[in-house]
Amino acid sequence: MNKHLELSPEVKTAIELGKPVVALESTIISHGMPYPQNVETALMVEDAIRKEGAVPATIAVIKGKLKAGLTKEEIEYLGKKGPAVTKASRRDLPVLVAQNRDGATTVATTMIIAHLAGIKIFATGGVGGVHRGAETTMDISADLEELSRTPVMVVCAGAKSILDLGLTLEYLETKGVPVIGYQTNELPAFYTRVSGFKVDYRIDTPEDLAAAFNAQQEMGLNSGMLVTNPIPEEWSMDPDYINQAIDQAVKEAKEQGIHGKETTPFLLAKVKDLTGGDSLKANIQLVLNNARLAARTARSL
Ligand code: PSU
Ligand code: MN
């Protein structure tokens, strides 16, 4: 085992016995939702995974340790501290670890740590991608690069249209990352079930998702896989309403000169402010939905 890695007793036993384990990220806790809903959601998601017969492994960097499996206290700590916790993507790990610091893991770093721990699947809300205007800013999330090089299946609800979804798909194609629609041919756009873009393949069962991932690994392709699971119909939002809020958020980010790692958290918080509690409710439900699908898929991996 990697010397920087620390597994909780529950996660350690599950991995040793070959039981299904689902990784979860922590930037969604610190930067993705407000307190206390972030902590409530993180704990509900863990429960949902247990109910499906799998073991949840929430991932974060705590005092320089790469942790898979957090205590309730650690989740509460990350949730309460919120954006004051360092948002840790791939490039942040060396310094945080060497200096025994804390970090909330993005999709990229959650994949890295899951893979080090031997966990094959990870559930979250939305992934990072190519930002609107990236042709001049070059703002492209490290999540996409990670998907191309780390063999972990990421179950999400698509990407928010704070991003340029078309360019995000182009980038993933170039990098050889399969984009799968779960029971859909449409790329879901987080709050909505459709985006106007198509996925590469539609797969309809957890068993078939697992088979595709297993084939990828058997061939030694060593890349990740992006499974996009549409938000349940009853929680999906009106596209005009949510897209107006997103356009407004993108405009304000530009006016205020927000850039670098602040961009995504700024946009997430703005969209939430502009739509009150509506988008937060949808967000919570889609994460739960992804956790359940990931747990069922983990059983077949
Ligand atoms: N998109 C969301 N919710 C999130 C994130 C993105 O809808 O919580 C978080 C995830 O942790 C993701 C990160 O990995 O933001 C991407 O940040 P960046 O664009 O700076 O790479
Ligand atoms: Mn960025």
Side-chain angles (χ1 to χ4, degrees), residues 54-258:
V55 170
T58 303
I59 288 179
V61 183
I62 306 275
K63 294 195 172 64
K65 288 287 170 207
L66 309 179
K67 293 252 198 179
L70 299 186
T71 62
K72 266 190 183 161
E73 291 70 33
E74 285 166 335
I75 289 176
E76 174 76 23
Y77 164 76
L78 292 172
K80 229 178 194 160
K81 232 178 145 193
V85 183
T86 302
K87 175 182 154 199
S89 197
R90 173 178 271 267
R91 59 98 186 258
D92 301 284
L93 288 181
V95 174
L96 295 180
V97 167
Q99 300 184 355
N100 300 320
R101 286 161 62 176
D102 300 328
T105 52
T106 61
V107 168
T109 34
T110 305
M111 290 178 76
I112 294 171
I113 297 170
H115 181 55
L116 283 175
I119 303 169
K120 294 179 185 166
I121 184 165
F122 154 34
T124 188
V127 285
V130 180
H131 278 268
R132 298 189 195 175
E135 57 276 23
T136 49
T137 63
M138 289 184 71
D139 189 350
I140 299 172
S141 174
D143 292 353
L144 299 186
E145 205 67 31
E146 206 60 50
L147 278 160
S148 77
R149 62 191 285 183
T150 301
V152 171
M153 183 192 284
V154 178
V155 180
C156 68
K160 289 198 178 101
S161 49
I162 56 172
L163 303 170
D164 186 319
L165 299 183
L167 290 186
T168 300
L169 287 175
E170 292 291 351
Y171 198 93
L172 288 167
E173 180 192 357
T174 301
K175 291 289 175 174
V177 179
V179 179
I180 311 291
Y182 182 67
Q183 298 182 343
T184 182
N185 287 304
E186 277 271 341
L187 177 75
F190 199 87
Y191 299 114
T192 57
R193 292 172 61 86
V194 295
S195 64
F197 293 95
K198 298 280 176 239
V199 292
D200 303 331
Y201 293 95
R202 168 184 175 145
I203 291 184
D204 288 341
T205 67
E207 293 73 26
D208 289 347
L209 288 176
F213 185 77
N214 286 340
Q216 188 181 39
Q217 302 325 307
E218 285 154 13
M219 288 182 279
L221 295 180
N222 274 324
S223 30
M225 184 173 278
L226 191 64
V227 173
T228 62
N229 184 27
I231 183 171
E233 191 85 60
E234 64 268 38
W235 298 102
S236 69
M237 295 181 72
D238 176 53
D240 291 337
Y241 173 61
I242 192 69
N243 286 328
Q244 245 171 35
I246 287 172
D247 288 345
Q248 176 67 22
V250 171
K251 189 172 149 241
E252 285 184 36
K254 203 169 172 194
E255 283 165 2
Q256 294 181 36
I258 309 288

